């Protein structure tokens, strides 16, 4: 495998190391990356010499910044469908990671966003560091949390998951642990020693014990102290109701959050709120991924996605023109349409569920 391959493979003892290898774009996922990662996991799962896989990102900035947003933007702008094919394979990869039969150790070091959460937080051994910044930031570009992010966030304590889904804010190690997005904290400088120790593990129990031996307590996070206003404000039935409660609560951080929400796509916010609440009732990750595919397909075709990427990433004027521009103008019937079955285009990961 060449050094410019999208995914690099290396075997250390009983560990198969899988490295996302697009550091110039912070290891953003494209279709080639997804296919290569999936193939590597299949090979390792059926290799009796491999006890565990360790997934990390090349470079120094992070594991993965998510999908290749510019490519998705260009495809949407051109009226293409390549992005839907990409998501179909990406979501299947997320499901494979979730049900992987061997320890799947994800180094969530540095930036881990969007699709980066999908290829890490569904794993069985999720490690954050003091450098971790974990987020599902899709609403900032007029899109919605996907890759099973709605499933993960719907299971966070109280209103924390809804808060993170709507605002798209990033969290550090302690808050990632609190929200159930990670399992252990290991300092960045100690990851090489952990990798070397994992190479000698011959059973899954050895892997668990070795990770725990290297884990430490992270510095305190921010969310636990904010539970009062977060838990009370995010129980509202609508985005408008959430904003009103945030404005009226009295906590300065709550008011600031309300102002942040008012800058984001009203449609994306309404669909995201509905998606997280529907994901709570999902009986499996696969069922939630089927929902995410329906929603992503519709969000991809909505003008707010192209406009959001233009404003934040392409032109960087940070002045998106949302359609509609106001939360109160988003119709319930339009939101419901995002969740309608796709017929023959369904992802179909959860058998028997339309």
């Amino acid at each position: 495998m060449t050094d410019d391959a999208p995914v690099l493979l290396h075997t250390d003892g009983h560990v198969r190391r899988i490295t996302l290898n697009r550091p110039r774009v912070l290891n953003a996922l494209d279709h080639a990356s997804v296919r290569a990662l999936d193939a590597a996991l299949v090979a390792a799962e059926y290799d009796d010499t491999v006890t565990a896989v360790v997934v990390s990102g090349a470079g120094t900035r992070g594991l993965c910044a998510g999908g290749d947003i510019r490519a998705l933007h260009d495809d949407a702008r051109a009226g293409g469908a390549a992005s839907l094919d990409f998501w179909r394979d990406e979501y299947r990869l997320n499901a494979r990671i979730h049900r992987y039969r061997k320890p799947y150790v994800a180094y969530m070091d540095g930036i881990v966003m969007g699709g980066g959460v999908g290829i890490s937080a569904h794993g069985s051994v999720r490690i954050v560091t003091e450098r971790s910044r974990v987020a599902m930031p899709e609403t900032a570009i007029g899109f919605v949390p996907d890759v099973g992010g709605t499933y993960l966030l719907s299971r966070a304590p109280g209103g924390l998951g809804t808060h993170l889904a709507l605002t798209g804010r990033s969290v550090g190690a302690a808050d990632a642990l609190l929200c159930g997005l990670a399992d252990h904290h290991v300092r960045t400088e100690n990851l090489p020693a952990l990798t070397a120790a994992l190479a000698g593990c011959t059973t899954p129990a050895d892997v668990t014990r070795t990770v725990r031996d290297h884990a430490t307590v992270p510095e305190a996070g921010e969310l636990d102290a904010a539970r009062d206003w977060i838990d009370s404000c995010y129980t509202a039935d609508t985005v408008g109701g959430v904003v009103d409660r945030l404005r009226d609560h009295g906590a300065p951080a709550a008011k600031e959050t309300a102002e942040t929400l008012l800058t984001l796509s009203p449609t994306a916010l309404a669909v995201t709120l509905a998606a997280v609440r529907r994901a709570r009732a999902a009986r499996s990750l696969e069922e939630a991924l089927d929902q995410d595919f329906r929603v992503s397909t519709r969000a991809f075709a909505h003008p707010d996605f192209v406009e959001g990427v233009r404003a934040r990433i392409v032109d960087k004027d940070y002045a998106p023109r949302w359609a509609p521009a106001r939360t109160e103008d988003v119709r319930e019937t339009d939101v419901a349409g995002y969740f309608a079955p796709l017929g023959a285009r369904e992802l179909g990961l959860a058998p028997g569920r339309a």
Side-chain angles (χ1 to χ4, degrees), residues 127-130 173 177 183-187 214-219:
I127 296 172
V128 283
T129 73
E130 78 284 357
L177 292 167
D183 306 301
H184 307 279
H185 170 263
V186 176
R187 291 193 60 81
H214 285 77
T216 57
V217 177
E219 293 185 5

Side-chain angles (χ1 to χ4, degrees), residues 93-100 121-124 151 284-286:
L93 171 63
N94 300 147
R96 182 185 302 283
I97 291 168
H98 178 68
R99 61 175 180 261
Y100 204 63
H122 294 307
S124 55
Y151 182 83
S284 66
L285 172 64
E286 287 81 2

Side-chain angles (χ1 to χ4, degrees), residues 204-245:
D206 290 341
V207 172
T208 300
R209 184 166 49 251
T210 298
V211 172
R212 286 177 177 170
D213 287 345
H214 285 77
T216 57
V217 177
E219 293 185 5
E222 301 175 1
L223 291 181
D224 196 43
R227 288 288 301 275
D228 175 62
W229 62 266
I230 288 176
D231 287 353
S232 62
C233 293
Y234 284 96
T235 57
D237 293 333
T238 65
V239 174
V242 170
V243 170
D244 288 342
R245 291 190 184 191

Side-chain angles (χ1 to χ4, degrees), residues 86-99:
F86 163 70
W87 283 323
R88 188 178 294 277
D89 285 343
E90 183 185 21
Y91 297 1
R92 287 172 173 163
L93 171 63
N94 300 147
R96 182 185 302 283
I97 291 168
H98 178 68
R99 61 175 180 261

Side-chain angles (χ1 to χ4, degrees), residues 121-187:
H122 294 307
S124 55
V125 185
R126 306 163 301 172
I127 296 172
V128 283
T129 73
E130 78 284 357
R131 301 190 327 126
S132 294
R133 299 306 303 175
V134 183
M136 296 298 298
E138 287 78 7
T139 55
I141 56 170
F143 202 65
V144 291
D146 65 337
V147 298
T150 54
Y151 182 83
L152 294 165
L153 293 176
S154 72
R155 283 149 176 77
L160 295 181
T162 307
H163 172 61
L164 296 184
L166 291 181
T167 63
R169 65 162 290 178
S170 64
V171 297
D175 288 333
L177 292 167
L178 173 63
C179 292
L181 300 174
D183 306 301
H184 307 279
H185 170 263
V186 176
R187 291 193 60 81

Side-chain angles (χ1 to χ4, degrees), residues 1 7-20 36-57 100 102-107 119 125 194-202 207:
M1 182 167 291
V7 171
L8 301 179
L9 305 179
H10 185 76
T11 301
D12 284 336
H14 297 283
V15 166
R16 180 69 45 80
R17 288 170 50 197
I18 303 175
T19 306
L20 301 182
L37 179 53
D38 190 70
L41 291 178
V42 171
E45 188 168 19
Y46 294 97
D47 186 336
D48 292 338
T49 68
V50 175
T51 299
V53 298
V54 173
V55 178
S56 61
Y100 204 63
K102 294 180 179 180
Y104 181 100
V105 184
Y107 287 175
I119 56 98
V125 185
L194 172 58
T195 303
L198 288 172
C201 294
T202 58
V207 172

